[in-house]
Amino acid sequence: MKIKDIHKIDTFLNEQPVTYEDFQKISAEKYRHVASFALWPQNYDGHDAAFLTKARCENDKDGKRSRTYFNDNLSGNLHKNVILLGLNFGARSDKKYSLENLLRQDMVNQYRGRSGSAYHGYGPIKFDYLDEQTHYNFKKLISGAYMTDLFKWDKNQINNSNNIPKPNGISTKTGNELMKYLNSDLPNVLNQNIIGLKDELETLGLDTDKHFVVFLLGRSFVAKKGNYSIIDRLKDAFPTAYIGDDFLYHYSARYFDEQKFQNHNIPVFQKYAEKIIDWY
């Protein structure tokens, strides 16, 4: 990746910024419990959950306060064309993370720590392992990305692509448990959830006729089940997206150190950055 080409990443990110109107649509009732953005305030400790939700207009009669907050804190920092895709919107056995409680959450991903330190070490990606100088462009690429999960609808919940219900999640603790639960139903349930994901990205305002990138968070995306894999189906469903052949480590504070991050995730970021540069 040549230094003279770095500006092309900015060009890409600036093509599909999240507007105030986009934010209101994706943070409305249907997706607010599963949708979020990889943007945290400075010195985030895992507790300022209102950092994003203050920009919602539903409790702001004339919209002035929420729009001002959005313009001051979020405008230009959120991007529709970079997606961080987790495997499933699920739940753990403890009450705090039960499915019932998660369904009441507001932009649930926002509750997880930027450095992986909040909530017993769980975090979407260890941003602090991306050095500001050495990995500046990788950090910029995922900062403000849209965050969601693939499997959010259980078996037979989507029967009509024109009438997508509110996602209720599939309550499994791990990706392995999810795969065992789906078993032979995987192709059908995956197809239903891809239909749902398309609706979600349309709600976000993403123009899928243009290039965008999807980072896959977790090994299960690339695992083969016979001759079938999730990643192949995603590539078929989103032909204008770059979906790399490898995954990013996700949820890993207890089993994960900085060296492992550098060895695995940095080359993945490198491939995505090079692909974006190739587009321009």
Side-chain angles (χ1 to χ4, degrees), residues 172-184:
T172 63
K173 184 177 180 180
T174 66
N176 286 337
E177 286 185 13
L178 175 68
M179 293 299 104
K180 289 179 181 178
Y181 168 71
L182 294 177
N183 198 10
S184 61

Side-chain angles (χ1 to χ4, degrees), residues 113-117 120-131 135 142 216-219 246-269:
R114 174 176 60 179
S115 66
S117 59
H120 309 294
Y122 283 87
I125 293 180
K126 287 211 163 190
F127 282 100
D128 288 356
Y129 286 167
L130 285 172
D131 177 72
H135 306 126
I142 57 176
L216 305 176
L217 306 183
R219 189 186 302 274
D246 212 341
F247 62 95
L248 291 176
Y249 278 110
H250 184 37
Y251 288 166
S252 305
R254 289 177 297 178
Y255 315 105
F256 186 97
D257 58 33
E258 183 168 0
Q259 192 58 52
K260 191 173 184 179
F261 182 99
Q262 303 289 350
N263 291 344
H264 181 89
N265 282 6
I266 295 302
V268 176
F269 287 129

Side-chain angles (χ1 to χ4, degrees), residues 26 32 89 151-152 210 219 222 242 277:
I26 199 60
R32 68 170 54 181
F89 175 68
F151 289 99
K152 299 186 288 288
K210 296 180 179 179
R219 189 186 302 274
V222 299
Y242 177 68
I277 289 170

Side-chain angles (χ1 to χ4, degrees), residues 56-84:
R56 187 180 291 119
C57 69
E58 62 183 29
N59 297 317
D60 185 8
K61 290 183 180 179
D62 59 11
K64 291 182 180 179
R65 187 173 65 252
S66 58
R67 186 180 288 274
T68 297
Y69 181 86
F70 180 89
N71 289 340
D72 290 346
N73 295 279
L74 306 180
S75 181
N77 295 319
L78 304 181
H79 311 289
K80 291 181 280 193
N81 54 359
V82 181
I83 312 297
L84 300 179

